[in-house]
Amino acid sequence: MMKKRSAFMLVIIGLLGGCLLTLAFVNFQSLNTQGGEGLLASVTGSSQKNDLSKIETTLDLIEENYYQDIDRTELIDGAINGMMGALGDPYSSYMGQETAAQFEESIEGSFTGIGAEVSSQDGNVIVVSPIKGSPAEKAGIRSKDVILSVNGESLQGLDLNEAVNKIRGPKGSEAKVSVQRAGSTDPLEFTIVRDDIDLETVYAEMQEDGVGIITITQFSLNTAERFEEELAKLEAQNMKGLIIDVRNNPGGVLSVVIDIAEQFVPKGELIVQVEDKNGKREKNESKGSAKPYPVSLLMNKGSASASEILAGALQQSAGATLLGENSFGKGTVQTSFERQLGDGSLVKITIAKWLTPNGDWIHEKGIEPDLTVSQPEYFSVAPITKDNLPLKLDSNSTDVKNAQTMLEGLGFKTDRKDGYFDAKTQTAIKAFQASKGLTASGILDEKTAGALEAALIEKISDPQYDTQLKKAVSEMKKEITSATSN
C-alpha cells in the first residue's frame, strides 16, 4: 500500500539577461512507499545473486586493472545511472547525495534557480514547464523546449544529474543557455543570471461581479492549506464563481492535489485512480462535498502531473469547465527510495500509472480543454539572436520575423510577419526606437533588440493582455448569470 505522500524534485536555475530572461530546472512528482528492507533485500534467487556477483566482479576488475586511479563512488553512481537509463523512462532516475538533498529541500519549497521543471528523454534535457510567474516564464522559456548547452557545454547524452549540475550555480552567476524549440530552425540563446525563486504557491484575487481567481504555481506540502485559506477569504467576500489557474504548474505532491480536489468533488466521487503493473487499481474517492457556485480550471501545455489530476477530477467528477490549451501529458506515478540505499542518495522509480475518474490514461496525450483558448502569437515568440545583429532594410531571416511579431504585439504595425525587412518594418522600428529614447536609425541593433524583448516581457506580464484569463473570466460571468437565473 502506498503512502499518499509525494515528493517533488525541483532544482531550479535562475535567469535574467539584459531583459530578465530566465530558464529553469527540474521537478518530479513521486510517492514514497512504506516498509521494505531495501532494494537488494528481494534478491534471493541464485540467478539474481550471480547478477550481483557479476557487477561486483566488474567493479573489482576495474579497480585492480584500470590504468588510472578511479573513484569507487563515481563508478557505483555510474552503474546505477546506467540501470535507470536502461529503463527508458524519463521519470525514473538516480540522485546522488547532493542532488537528493536538493530534492528533499524542494519538497519544503526552498531552492534557488530560474523556475522551470525539466526531465530527460532520449538523451535530451526537456523543459516540462516553467513555473508560473518565474523568471523562466517571463523570459519566454516554453514547455517542450530542449536545452542543448550551458556556457558552451553540451548536455546531449548526459544523465539528468550531470545536466542539472551544469545548469546549477551560485546565485548571481551567469549562464548562457542554448535552447532548441519546435518550429525554430536555429537554436535560441538565453543569458541567465541564477537567482532565488518566489516559493509562494497560491495567489488569490477577487474580480468584479463576484469572480474569484486562485492561481496555483505548484503543489508543495503547504499548498492545500494555503489554498483553503485563500478560498475562505474569497468566499467571505461573497464569491459567486471560481477560476483555478494551473497554467505552467508542473505538478507536485499527490496528497495535496487530492486535498484540494476534495473541496469541490462530491463525497464518494472519484478523484484519481492509481494502477500498478498487475492492473490493480487504488481508487481515491472524495470525502468532501461540492460547492454551490460554478468552478472552472485554466490550463496550458505546461500544466503537468498533479495539475492534470486536478483537471481530470474537476471536469469528470465535479462538472467544472476546462479552458485554455491541451495539458502536458504526464500520467505516471513515481516512488522515491532513500532509506534503502543508506548513504543519502536515492532512486526514484515509476511504479504505476494514474487514471482520471473515467479511467482515461492521459500519458503523452494530455487532457483536452472544453474550450480551447490560445494566447496571442507574441506570447510565444522566440528571442532575437544577438549574434545575427544588426539587421537592416532588405534583410530576410527568422530574427526579422520575430522582431516583426514583437513590434506588432507592442502596437507598432509592420503589416507583415514573414521575415522580410521592408520599408514598413523599418518605419515601425524607428517609431519604437523613438518611443524608448533610442536613436531612431531603423536598424535592428542589440540595444533595440534588448528593448523590444524587455517591453514585450512587461506587456505579457500585465493581466489585461492575458487572453486566456480574460476569456475564462468572461465565461465564468456567463455561468454565474446562468446559475443565478436558475
Side-chain angles (χ1 to χ4, degrees), residues 53-229:
S53 177
K54 184 177 179 180
I55 295 172
E56 291 171 355
T57 299
T58 302
L59 180 60
D60 290 340
L61 287 170
I62 293 173
E63 286 187 309
E64 293 171 6
N65 297 288
Y66 190 64
Y67 81 106
Q68 290 181 339
D69 291 336
I70 56 95
D71 185 322
R72 184 182 180 90
T73 300
E74 287 186 5
L75 285 182
I76 294 172
D77 285 355
I80 300 174
N81 275 319
M83 285 189 280
M84 304 309 293
L87 295 174
D89 174 15
Y91 303 110
S92 294
S93 63
Y94 168 71
M95 303 176 205
Q97 295 177 6
E98 182 179 353
T99 307
Q102 295 163 357
F103 174 81
E104 294 298 335
E105 288 174 4
S106 71
I107 299 170
E108 305 298 331
S110 175
F111 42 77
T112 298
I114 62 168
E117 172 196 1
V118 300
S119 68
S120 178
Q121 187 172 352
D122 300 326
N124 295 315
V125 177
I126 311 292
V127 175
V128 173
S129 175
I131 294 174
K132 186 174 178 63
S134 70
E137 184 190 45
K138 294 174 183 176
I141 298 300
R142 299 287 177 257
S143 176
K144 310 287 188 179
D145 282 351
V146 180
I147 304 177
L148 302 176
S149 65
V150 178
N151 289 334
E153 295 188 62
S154 174
L155 303 188
Q156 179 69 34
L158 298 182
D159 67 66
L160 195 57
N161 288 338
E162 292 177 297
V164 163
N165 286 335
K166 290 188 180 297
I167 301 172
R168 287 186 67 243
K171 177 181 176 180
S173 62
E174 187 176 276
K176 294 184 178 180
V177 178
S178 177
V179 168
Q180 185 66 58
R181 179 173 297 167
S184 179
T185 305
D186 300 320
L188 311 177
E189 304 295 332
F190 296 87
T191 299
I192 301 171
V193 176
R194 302 172 176 97
D195 200 359
D196 292 330
I197 301 300
D198 183 0
L199 302 180
E200 176 60 76
T201 61
V202 179
Y203 301 85
E205 63 173 303
M206 179 70 84
Q207 295 208 349
E208 61 182 14
D209 299 328
V211 177
I213 302 171
I214 297 183
T215 300
I216 309 173
T217 60
Q218 60 189 3
F219 295 92
S220 295
L221 290 178
N222 69 339
T223 301
E225 181 181 348
R226 287 285 298 114
F227 182 90
E228 189 172 357
E229 290 172 355

Side-chain angles (χ1 to χ4, degrees), residues 213-404:
I213 302 171
I214 297 183
T215 300
I216 309 173
T217 60
Q218 60 189 3
F219 295 92
S220 295
L221 290 178
N222 69 339
T223 301
E225 181 181 348
R226 287 285 298 114
F227 182 90
E228 189 172 357
E229 290 172 355
E230 295 300 328
L231 181 62
K233 291 177 184 177
L234 292 176
E235 290 177 337
Q237 299 174 55
N238 194 30
M239 181 178 66
K240 298 176 181 177
L242 175 66
I243 299 168
I244 301 174
D245 187 351
V246 293
R247 289 176 296 173
N248 291 330
N249 180 326
V253 182
L254 179 60
S255 62
V256 169
V257 72
I258 290 174
D259 288 345
I260 291 174
E262 281 189 324
Q263 299 180 57
F264 305 96
V265 176
K267 184 177 181 179
E269 295 294 323
L270 287 178
I271 293 175
V272 65
Q273 305 181 67
V274 178
E275 181 177 296
D276 66 18
K277 65 180 180 181
N278 298 315
K280 182 179 178 181
R281 293 189 185 181
E282 177 183 346
K283 298 183 177 183
N284 291 274
E285 296 181 354
S286 175
K287 300 178 181 63
S289 61
K291 293 292 185 180
Y293 47 78
V295 177
S296 65
L297 181 137
L298 188 56
M299 63 186 190
N300 63 8
K301 63 184 178 181
S303 303
S305 195
S307 293
E308 295 171 295
I309 291 175
L310 183 60
L314 294 183
Q315 181 192 52
Q316 297 179 9
S317 293
T321 301
L322 306 185
L323 302 96
E325 302 165 344
N326 204 82
S327 63
F328 181 82
K330 179 182 180 293
T332 55
V333 177
Q334 286 69 45
T335 296
S336 60
F337 297 87
E338 179 180 12
R339 176 175 56 81
Q340 292 88 337
L341 298 185
D343 65 350
S345 61
L346 65 81
V347 289
K348 183 167 58 63
I349 301 172
T350 297
I351 58 158
K353 58 185 181 183
W354 68 262
L355 301 95
T356 67
N358 290 352
D360 301 324
W361 193 36
I362 58 88
H363 196 58
E364 297 183 349
K365 296 183 295 184
I367 297 177
E368 292 184 13
D370 298 303
L371 181 60
T372 299
V373 187
S374 299
Q375 296 285 38
E377 186 179 3
Y378 63 81
F379 266 67
S380 57
V381 66
I384 297 165
T385 307
K386 305 304 184 292
D387 292 344
N388 294 337
L389 300 178
L391 296 169
K392 57 185 70 176
L393 197 63
D394 291 329
S395 298
N396 195 346
S397 69
T398 300
D399 284 313
V400 174
K401 179 180 179 180
N402 293 339
Q404 290 168 334

